[in-house]
Amino acid sequence: MGETKQPHLNGAYYGPSIPPPSKSYHRPGRGGGGCCCNPFSCCCGCLMNCLCTCVFQILCTILVVAAIIIAILIFVFRPNAVKFHATNATLTEFNLNNNTLHYNLAVNLTIRNPNRRIGFYYDVIEARASYQGQRFATTQLTPFFQGTKSTNNVTAEFRGQNMILLGNREMSHYNGDRSSGMYDIEVKLYLRTRLRFWIVKSMRVKPKIECDLRIPLSSNGTASSGAFESQRCDFDWR
């Protein structure tokens, strides 16, 4: 084997021939360096994958920010539940004949907002009256806005006739109510409300108000058996 001199080395070299360095080629788009995906920079060959990643991370960020804002608002404003009371009720007719109920009922309600910084928009107020689990009347009340630290009065009036089907147990209860002159009637309010924090309005929520009332039958303005007692209603967020 002969001596080989390498011109780029200092002095003579007396070993085997050194092959020239091999050239490596990098094809773009393969391997780990071809994609730089993040929520705000989508310079990626796999565009759909990057787009989905961006959308998902942006949605997660929006949800986290919204949760933080809601938590801050709750901590700052400290909302208290609105209080509903049935202060008076007048029942002048409640007669069941051949499964047809003839009724004339008016219920006065007070709505107290104890919050100092939160107002309420009552966009929809639907009142329903039921007896022994059977709904016999529905009426719509006038929408309104309730300011902070205020009390509003509303009246739900039910008048007309409707068919209801009572079983033996319910008919026995009705006969007992007719004998005593006091009727167990349930009034529910189905609301669609929005909260207002200063100038910020919340999304619409749908609470339900339940009032279990014992109402005396009145004749010529005089209750036949006792007087109606004010009753606090239950507030239920759905």
Side-chain angles (χ1 to χ4, degrees):
M1 182 179 299
E3 298 178 355
T4 304
K5 292 185 178 182
Q6 302 295 329
H8 58 281
L9 300 177
N10 293 328
Y13 175 74
Y14 299 96
S17 300
I18 299 176
S22 60
K23 295 182 180 181
S24 61
Y25 296 93
H26 175 71
R27 295 183 180 182
R30 296 184 179 180
C35 192
C36 53
C37 294
N38 59 65
F40 304 103
S41 175
C42 293
C43 50
C44 181
C46 46
L47 181 59
M48 288 303 298
N49 184 29
C50 185
L51 181 61
C52 293
T53 302
C54 291
V55 171
F56 176 76
Q57 294 188 9
I58 290 174
L59 289 177
C60 289
T61 303
I62 292 174
L63 291 176
V64 171
V65 171
I68 293 174
I69 292 175
I70 292 174
I72 293 174
L73 290 175
I74 292 176
F75 178 78
V76 171
F77 292 101
R78 299 180 184 275
N80 296 311
V82 178
K83 297 178 175 60
F84 289 76
H85 285 84
T87 56
N88 192 24
T90 303
L91 182 66
T92 57
E93 184 181 11
F94 203 78
N95 182 35
L96 182 62
N97 186 12
N98 294 328
N99 294 327
T100 299
L101 179 65
H102 301 262
Y103 55 88
N104 190 350
L105 170 65
V107 179
N108 297 329
L109 300 164
T110 62
I111 306 173
R112 173 64 181 170
N113 176 17
N115 297 281
R116 294 184 299 172
R117 300 183 180 90
I118 302 176
F120 291 87
Y121 289 95
Y122 295 92
D123 297 328
V124 176
I125 309 174
E126 180 179 286
R128 301 178 184 177
S130 302
Y131 181 76
Q132 295 298 302
Q134 299 287 324
R135 184 174 67 186
F136 61 85
T138 301
T139 186
Q140 298 288 335
L141 306 185
T142 303
F144 66 95
F145 171 76
Q146 184 174 35
T148 59
K149 300 288 287 186
S150 62
T151 301
N152 292 76
N153 298 311
V154 297
T155 300
E157 296 183 349
F158 309 93
R159 177 183 297 178
Q161 62 184 38
N162 201 355
M163 180 176 290
I164 62 173
L165 299 177
L166 301 181
N168 293 331
R169 182 178 179 182
E170 290 78 13
M171 278 300 303
S172 176
H173 194 103
Y174 169 76
N175 291 329
D177 287 351
R178 186 174 60 178
S179 298
S180 66
M182 301 284 290
Y183 292 85
D184 295 319
I185 297 176
E186 184 181 46
V187 175
K188 295 182 180 180
L189 300 181
Y190 292 84
L191 311 177
R192 293 185 182 180
T193 65
R194 292 172 294 153
L195 283 66
R196 189 181 77 177
F197 309 90
W198 288 329
I199 60 174
V200 179
K201 298 177 183 178
S202 73
M203 62 184 300
R204 184 174 290 178
V205 294
K206 300 178 180 180
K208 179 176 65 175
I209 313 302
E210 298 183 358
C211 306
D212 294 321
L213 309 177
R214 188 159 177 79
I215 307 173
L217 183 66
S218 301
S219 178
N220 297 324
T222 303
S224 59
S225 177
F228 176 80
E229 296 182 0
S230 178
Q231 178 69 38
R232 181 173 179 175
C233 304
D234 296 327
F235 193 98
D236 180 26
W237 289 97
R238 291 191 298 171

